[in-house]
Amino acid sequence: MNRIFLIIPLYFFLISSINSQWNLKKMNFSKSDSLLGGSRPERNSWDIRRYDLKVEFFPESKSIQGVCNFWVNPIKPFKRIQIDLNEKMELDSIYFEDKKIEFVREKSVVWLDFNKEINQRIFFKCYFHGSPIVAKNAPWDGGFVWSKSNGKLWAGVACEGIGASVWWPCKDDSQDEPDSMSLSYKIPNGLVCIGNGKFMGSAVDLQGDKTTWNWQITYPINPYNVTFYIGDYIQIQDTFRMSNNSSLDLNYWVLRENEVIAKKHFAQVKPMLRIYEKLMGPYPFSNDGYSLVESPYLGMEHQSAIAYGNKFQRGYLGGRIPDDMNWDFIIIHESGHEYFGNSISAADHGDLWIHESFTTWLETYYVEKIYGKSKAVEYLNYQRPWIQNKEPLRGPYGVRFNGWSSSDIYYRGSWMIHTLRNGIKNDELFFSVLKKLFIQFGYKTVNSYELVSFFSKEFNMNLTPFFNQYLLNSKIPKLVYKVEKKGRNLVFQYHWENIRSDFSWPFALQIGKKRIPIEFSNEQKEIVLPFRRISRWDDSFLPLNTFLFEPIKISQ
Ligand SMILES: [Zn+2]
């Protein structure tokens, strides 16, 4: 898929450099990180249109072999391109126009030489084999998971951080997604192999001991979303009537022993889909269907084949939601990624906040719709302790960055979106803009600049200082204040810390019906309160539930 670059109006200041917040030198990026995350003519002179990936699995030796077919459109003429494959994997040969062609490997990169200028659509094949990295702590580190259930093989892959090239050769570049893809997985007989997209049938080999399972993806897909699951699965089928009256196939692939519990537990899928489609428009991958697949790791947003490993429990493995709520965190969160992450995808790994911040906010929106507004606020306050203020939400660009050390891109991000909604003070407008976001950016890759520019235009205000404040700083605004007697008056004395010089936002004390605006300033300010007794002061006059900041009360 060719990336659409928007022209950003000049009157919006571009987000400034973030090098002061990330100590890039200290982060010690390897050559592989920049080869995998950066842009160069060998990457941006071509557009990947389609892959056909065929893989045979050898569980006894934890290895695979396969071939990946590439369909490529030149953006400008090229002779040499970059494709990616992890150093642990062998690239056996590459065929172009029925002839073997030259390639050079450099760490996780393959430099491919065509020996002539390519200026029209081409097709080539890459044969590969090897033992992909085995994850130690999936889905957090990435790699294959070889597990067992009831004595039978149960396997899968999660590779969001490490990249799809950990197991198959591809253009492992966040900004370029293929428009479609086919998957053929050959596995030992007696098990089921699930991939993304639509099931296209299975066939037993002539030799009779292996079966090939075929899948078809008919939408653009992030390489890291391309996946497989092998296990003793049964399929539970259902359909969901979308609001445009078309029918969406729902498929739940669970281990045989979990059929009964899964049927009951997955009843929460339809109300969730209804809430999401009302907010953001139709489920984005309707031709490919919606699937949950029981996985030997906690979860991952694999497009149209979501990894589900929450063991049919409430919350996050039984916890992390208020006691009086009963919903499955993995279903609600990972399904939210079908919109933010899979339909609208970050063009650079440094912008993963686009996936996680919005999706974590979607959890609060789901709670609002199921349990009501006050419960949503309760849930937001439940998310709050996970804000660690350790790092900017936006990571460095141009490297395959996977160095998040906190959960800030989730929880600080969720509160940032919540703050934005409250600052806009017009839910109808806020929600209509979210819907428009999917009309404009659905099935595309996008970066922070484009998103901030879009919101600025739609909300008719310059939101760059707002987003800069939360995306580029490690810390959130800190309001340092005291309430004290001054003569006959009672005053609220304050100053702000951790704010950028251009930051401002509608922020006020709410005292009964009275709104008293507070300025954003590093300098000491004071305002006279509309009462005189110190005992009347109440911390809840501060907008604690609608704006992300840290109040610090100092004693007199
Ligand atoms: Zn997520």
Side-chain angles (χ1 to χ4, degrees), residues 301 333-334 337 356 410:
E301 59 261 29
H333 180 89
E334 304 304 348
H337 277 311
E356 300 303 349
Y410 298 84

Side-chain angles (χ1 to χ4, degrees), residues 1-8 44 46-49 75 171 174-177 179 220 343-348 437-451 453-454:
M1 180 183 69
N2 207 344
R3 216 166 109 55
I4 315 282
F5 288 94
L6 294 180
I7 296 160
I8 301 164
N44 56 32
W46 58 288
D47 173 30
I48 181 72
R49 302 307 301 266
I75 295 170
K171 183 181 188 180
S174 307
Q175 49 178 298
D176 195 5
E177 300 182 351
D179 303 307
S343 179
I344 295 180
S345 309
D348 188 293
L437 183 71
F438 283 90
I439 295 167
Q440 187 151 337
F441 293 107
Y443 311 112
K444 293 189 181 84
T445 60
V446 61
N447 62 32
S448 292
Y449 304 115
E450 291 160 325
L451 216 57
S453 170
F454 170 83

Side-chain angles (χ1 to χ4, degrees), residues 171-201:
K171 183 181 188 180
D172 204 356
D173 179 354
S174 307
Q175 49 178 298
D176 195 5
E177 300 182 351
D179 303 307
S180 63
M181 186 163 178
S182 76
L183 304 170
S184 295
Y185 295 141
K186 193 189 269 198
I187 60 159
N189 286 343
L191 294 167
V192 173
C193 189
I194 296 141
N196 315 74
K198 252 189 155 101
F199 179 47
M200 304 302 286

